[in-house]
Amino acid sequence: VDDGIIRSLLDAALWGPFHGRCSKGNQHPARFIVLGKRSMVEMQTMTLDYYDRNWQKTGWAGGTKGTLEEYNAWRKMTHEEITGRWGPCSHMIAIVMRRQAGPKRYPEWEDAAAVAAATQNIHLQATKFPNLACYWSSWHDSVRDSQEMKIFLGMEMEDKCLGFFIVAQVKPGHKDKRIRHRNLMEVEWRS
């Protein structure tokens, strides 16, 4: 996927609501780090290295715990995904919530909501490009929330990684089968 398309996605993120201009000196709480192929492999390798050191304490793949043999089987499969499942991805965009350090500090939930709205705008902009396949991955929670990830992404102490926005090219001839029905969301109207 061309970097110009990625820039277009990120430009859309700017239109998500936030308090940035309400208090002079505050920046948008969203920070996006665009990982190309080499950086994606580095991040995935860092993920496996983290689990190699911590699997007995944290588990793996969302907290699964088991034997060394079970861990090694999972690790082998996950290592193969670097070039398999994740190989077709052109970019992974780290979604980071920066805690405001400007003159006015907003509640954390407002920063998280602003980052989520910015990420939703990225997703909406992606629909402009029919050849894109995108989704927001929460990633491996133990690694995502680790000091190693903070260092890898150059985050400040209070910042939080909220996952990765995955971008790939749709396979030629793929038909979009996604559907959205109103019954998926509860809406109540009151007069």
Side-chain angles (χ1 to χ4, degrees):
V1 175
D2 184 78
D3 286 350
I5 292 174
I6 301 300
R7 282 188 200 94
S8 172
L9 301 179
L10 295 169
D11 286 345
L14 290 170
W15 292 94
F18 74 104
H19 280 109
R21 294 294 172 222
C22 296
S23 297
K24 191 174 177 149
N26 279 18
Q27 292 184 310
H28 198 294
R31 178 172 175 242
F32 298 104
I33 299 102
V34 181
L35 306 180
K37 289 282 192 187
R38 184 177 48 90
S39 295
M40 288 188 305
V41 169
E42 286 174 16
M43 189 272 295
Q44 293 172 82
T45 301
M46 184 267 299
T47 296
L48 290 173
D49 290 346
Y50 174 88
Y51 280 124
D52 286 345
R53 289 187 308 278
N54 298 289
W55 70 272
Q56 290 176 310
K57 181 174 65 174
T58 65
W60 62 89
T64 302
K65 296 204 176 189
T67 65
L68 176 59
E69 185 177 281
E70 291 168 323
Y71 170 72
N72 283 332
W74 173 84
R75 191 197 192 287
K76 180 180 184 297
M77 176 199 69
T78 304
H79 185 268
E80 290 169 355
E81 287 180 344
I82 292 174
T83 54
R85 176 182 180 190
W86 301 110
C89 298
S90 66
H91 299 82
M92 289 180 168
I93 304 171
I95 304 164
V96 175
M97 178 192 75
R98 298 186 298 185
R99 287 299 285 139
Q100 295 296 317
K104 181 165 183 184
R105 189 168 167 101
Y106 295 101
E108 184 174 341
W109 76 264
E110 289 188 28
D111 286 346
V115 174
T119 304
Q120 177 65 21
N121 279 5
I122 291 173
H123 221 212
L124 290 170
Q125 180 70 1
T127 64
K128 178 181 174 186
F129 304 98
N131 292 333
L132 287 188
C134 303
Y135 75 99
W136 183 348
S137 167
S138 58
W139 203 243
H140 300 263
D141 56 350
S142 293
V143 180
R144 180 198 63 222
D145 299 338
S146 70
Q147 187 62 31
E148 288 88 335
M149 186 64 79
K150 284 186 183 292
I151 292 167
F152 181 79
L153 296 175
M155 296 165 52
E156 297 293 326
M157 198 59 178
E158 288 189 87
D159 294 351
K160 291 186 178 177
C161 178
L162 302 182
F164 291 85
F165 193 79
I166 311 299
V167 182
Q169 195 83 23
V170 171
K171 291 179 183 174
H174 177 76
K175 185 174 184 225
D176 188 354
K177 297 175 186 165
R178 293 174 297 173
I179 55 172
R180 295 285 194 260
H181 291 288
R182 287 186 176 154
N183 64 356
L184 291 173
M185 183 182 297
E186 183 177 329
V187 177
E188 179 180 339
W189 294 66
R190 294 182 180 191
S191 57

